[in-house]
Amino acid sequence: MERVHAVVLAAGKGKRMKSDLPKVLHRVSGQALVTYVLETLRAAGVEDPIIVVGHGAEGVRAIGGPRARFVDQVEQRGTGHAVMQALPLLPQQTQQSDPVLVLYGDTPLLTPDTIRALLEQHRSSEAAVTMLTAELSDPTGYGRIIRDGDGRVQRIVEDADASSEEKQVREINAGTYVYDPAALREALKGLVPHNAQGEYYITDTVSWLLSRGRTVSALLGSPEETMGINSRRELAQVEAVMRRRILEGLMDQGVTIIDPLTTYVHAGVVVGRDSVIHPQCHLEGTTRIGSGCVIGPQARLVDSTLLDRVTVVASTVEGSIVGEGTRVGPYSHLRPGTQVGRFVEIGNFAEMKNATVGDYTKVHHQSYLGDATIGERVNIGAGTVTCNYDGKGKYPTVIEDGAFIGSDTMLIAPVRIGKGAVTGAGSVVNKDVPPGALAVGVPARVIKYVTANTER
Ligand code: UD1
Ligand code: CA
């Protein structure tokens, strides 16, 4: 069976980005440019791509995934030179006809359907190379497809080398090609760096193959998909397209998005059906949202998991897990390591960090729970603070099921409030309070037992 080999060019610095970060590691909708290309290949059924790395090679290798193979292009001498570096990893004599797909790491909008269509056209045309092109209203910066009077492709001319007449051509080279492997090897040998940039251009293989009587085939793709990123302006343009695609994908799966213009969702975020996203929301990183949730207005969720029917209004939730039916906000901040149970109420300037909160507990009104384990059906009064940090170390607080923490209680950790215990308003608790006890004052002392049936 035919096997498709893929070579992804990702070694360039991206000078026009004016950045210390290699271009293909810049992010669109939270994900590196080259990751989109690799995902598209996988979705098109093309496995084990060869990635050509150079600038920031370590970073690119780190996100390539376990199945990718890497080759180094130590000096970046052009796209043709980059493909040459991959030749040792491509099949030699035996599987000669397996096509080689060459594509760039800076074109994240390319879709699996287009890759499949290009491969299909390559098979049926029996060409030496089949390339993807597009008609752009503004082709500035791209290589132009030069055709003869009969519309046959003659060559590709780079923007830097184009005459003013050639610059008028609106059909551009998308930078996605399928080669016959033997033709690719031969054509690469024929490249010379005689151009404005002094580089070995992969694009010159087209005229070289034509001059040897070989067939070159071109597939006209969509302008949107072929957008390559060279500058921060183009990064923002691609971001807008990707954002729209992600939101449309969610809507197609049954998510209501009230205002797509002010909704920002990273690639890979999952949202269950019948969830509603109100305006001004940001869903980022590895966030997963269940079904029937109400998000926003004004929520930022980062690397968090929300189970079904959770509500988050005007709050930030980071690195947290929130159980079914729980309400968060307005104006709350759940920080990393927080795990909230079912039907919990968290609101009005409550902050949590590394806290576990049991089912049906209520935490409102300017409170802080850090390094804390809170049981079920606990009431945290207004202004409660777990004083978890003494300037040197962090200490835990445990509040057992059914406890009632009076307003403005200071819990000097490490400390434990027993099951069903109560603290008086304004108490400063620096010793454990036994189950069922009522502790008041500064420092707090037990004055009586309020619940009879707890284990003392
Ligand atoms: C390239 C094409 C141009 C096309 C455009 C489409 C060439 C000569 N030109 O131009 O015809 O219209 O893409 O977006 O191919 N790279 C390396 N090693 C190198 C040089 C580049 O790995 O030595 C990688 C870059 O990291 C990048 C990709 O190849 O991912 C394309 O390089 P870039 O410099 O962006 O080419 P363009 O000028 O955009
Ligand atoms: Ca480019």
mmCIF file of all heavy atoms in Angstrom, residues 23 106 229-230, ligand 2:
data_model
loop_
_atom_site.group_PDB
_atom_site.id
_atom_site.type_symbol
_atom_site.label_atom_id
_atom_site.label_comp_id
_atom_site.label_asym_id
_atom_site.label_seq_id
_atom_site.Cartn_x
_atom_site.Cartn_y
_atom_site.Cartn_z
ATOM 1 N N LYS A 23 9.767 31.317 14.756
ATOM 2 C CA LYS A 23 8.435 31.643 14.232
ATOM 3 C C LYS A 23 7.404 30.543 14.460
ATOM 4 O O LYS A 23 6.275 30.825 14.899
ATOM 5 C CB LYS A 23 8.522 31.953 12.740
ATOM 6 C CG LYS A 23 7.176 32.307 12.134
ATOM 7 C CD LYS A 23 7.308 32.897 10.769
ATOM 8 C CE LYS A 23 7.836 31.932 9.767
ATOM 9 N NZ LYS A 23 7.917 32.528 8.427
ATOM 10 N N ASP A 106 4.629 27.282 8.995
ATOM 11 C CA ASP A 106 4.015 28.590 9.308
ATOM 12 C C ASP A 106 2.672 28.800 8.607
ATOM 13 O O ASP A 106 2.215 29.917 8.464
ATOM 14 C CB ASP A 106 4.988 29.738 8.986
ATOM 15 C CG ASP A 106 5.290 29.883 7.501
ATOM 16 O OD1 ASP A 106 4.857 29.020 6.709
ATOM 17 O OD2 ASP A 106 5.957 30.871 7.133
ATOM 18 N N ILE A 229 2.321 32.742 7.830
ATOM 19 C CA ILE A 229 2.614 33.824 8.776
ATOM 20 C C ILE A 229 4.082 34.224 8.684
ATOM 21 O O ILE A 229 4.973 33.404 8.902
ATOM 22 C CB ILE A 229 2.292 33.373 10.213
ATOM 23 C CG1 ILE A 229 0.784 33.169 10.341
ATOM 24 C CG2 ILE A 229 2.789 34.408 11.221
ATOM 25 C CD1 ILE A 229 0.359 32.546 11.633
ATOM 26 N N ASN A 230 4.313 35.473 8.334
ATOM 27 C CA ASN A 230 5.674 36.005 8.329
ATOM 28 C C ASN A 230 5.845 37.162 9.301
ATOM 29 O O ASN A 230 6.957 37.509 9.652
ATOM 30 C CB ASN A 230 6.064 36.473 6.931
ATOM 31 C CG ASN A 230 6.132 35.302 5.947
ATOM 32 O OD1 ASN A 230 6.549 34.209 6.311
ATOM 33 N ND2 ASN A 230 5.712 35.531 4.729
HETATM 34 CA CA CA B 2 6.255 32.047 5.195
#
